[in-house]
Amino acid sequence: MNNRQTILIIEDEENITKLLRTILRTHGYNAIVATNANEGKSMASSHVPDLILLDLGLPDEDGINVIKQFREWTNIPVIVVSARSNDYDKVTALDLGADDYVTKPFSTDELLARIRTALRHKRVSFDEELKRTKLFVCGNLKIDFDKHFVTIGEEKVHLTNIEFKIMELLCKSSGKVLTHDYIMNAIWGPYAHNDNKILRVNMANLRRKIENNPADPKYIFTEPGVGYRMIEAD
Ligand code: CA
């Protein structure tokens, strides 16, 4: 039986599909290819792949629309692989339900890490995720969500309620980028001011408490103009 995971590539540039296919096959995935949005949508429903790599600049339809349509019927992880590096497209893609994005030209390691993260979050059910995130351990950082207890090495870190909630949110999606709007909405609700200032202030405080050097963070990374990404647990 072939139990390799299948990844659907929706991309019109031949040299990129070739490169992606080679990378995926070398690393044990099945790769199937669609060269436009229409073909991609039909292959997604006929093959039900484990993950989709989606280009935004497709010949027949904008990839942003394709994400919207996917999310009407499926939770298959979608990673955007695009040359568009402007924040607006990244944020829109993520807020519409894309799981992550990789900007061309991308590094093989980065792409594979994003794929592993997205597949892992898909595999783990919400309950398991909750159980697993009762304890988050990465390097010196240890978070016990039941006891509301954060330590760096032997030292206890005192977090405010809000800071703790932000940590919990980021840890539940560790390895994935979360947009400013997503975090704002999850912590402060839909009617919060959307200038993100309160988030930046809390994030700065949080980093001062958990990072050795807040300007060069090891646990919570900034995705400029997009949001934040927590490192994956050990
Ligand atoms: Ca393209």
Side-chain angles (χ1 to χ4, degrees), residues 10-13 16 55-59 81 83 104:
I10 308 178
E11 165 71 69
D12 59 322
E13 271 171 76
I16 305 220
D55 179 27
L56 293 182
L58 293 166
V81 180
K104 296 170 188 169

Side-chain angles (χ1 to χ4, degrees), residues 3-168:
N3 57 6
R4 292 197 301 171
Q5 289 173 299
T6 298
I7 298 181
L8 169 62
I9 303 163
I10 308 178
E11 165 71 69
D12 59 322
E13 271 171 76
E14 208 189 326
N15 53 347
I16 305 220
T17 52
K18 270 188 187 158
L19 172 66
L20 287 171
R21 202 158 42 189
T22 306
I23 294 172
L24 295 178
R25 289 185 177 163
T26 310
H27 290 85
Y29 299 105
N30 278 328
I32 52 177
V33 174
T35 56
N36 60 55
N38 249 325
E39 198 187 349
K41 285 184 273 185
S42 103
M43 283 178 81
S45 52
S46 57
H47 289 75
V48 194
D50 296 287
L51 184 140
I52 296 167
L53 295 179
L54 176 70
D55 179 27
L56 293 182
L58 293 166
D60 52 342
E61 194 177 353
D62 194 305
I64 295 276
N65 277 330
V66 178
I67 298 170
K68 214 188 295 179
Q69 291 165 57
F70 278 148
R71 284 299 171 255
E72 284 166 8
W73 66 273
T74 179
N75 285 321
I76 297 172
V78 174
I79 299 178
V80 169
V81 180
S82 175
R84 294 187 200 164
S85 58
N86 69 72
D87 300 339
Y88 178 77
D89 279 323
K90 288 180 188 170
V91 171
T92 308
L94 292 166
D95 283 338
L96 281 174
D99 292 76
D100 220 318
Y101 67 85
V102 174
T103 309
K104 296 170 188 169
F106 50 84
S107 85
T108 302
D109 285 349
E110 190 195 358
L111 177 73
L112 290 169
R114 299 284 175 268
I115 290 174
R116 277 195 306 271
T117 299
L119 287 173
R120 184 170 57 76
H121 282 293
K122 179 196 169 217
R123 210 173 45 240
V124 178
S125 74
F126 186 73
D127 282 354
E128 280 177 70
E129 190 88 43
L130 216 65
K131 220 181 292 167
R132 217 166 43 87
T133 50
K134 283 189 173 177
L135 199 66
F136 182 93
V137 182
C138 181
N140 280 331
L141 174 67
K142 195 165 153 187
I143 309 167
D144 186 321
F145 291 102
D146 272 350
K147 294 180 186 151
H148 267 235
F149 207 77
V150 181
T151 47
I152 296 281
E154 299 293 298
E155 216 167 310
K156 183 162 195 265
V157 182
H158 294 276
L159 298 185
T160 65
N161 251 335
I162 294 282
E163 288 161 5
F164 197 85
K165 278 186 188 168
I166 295 174
M167 282 290 259
E168 199 167 22

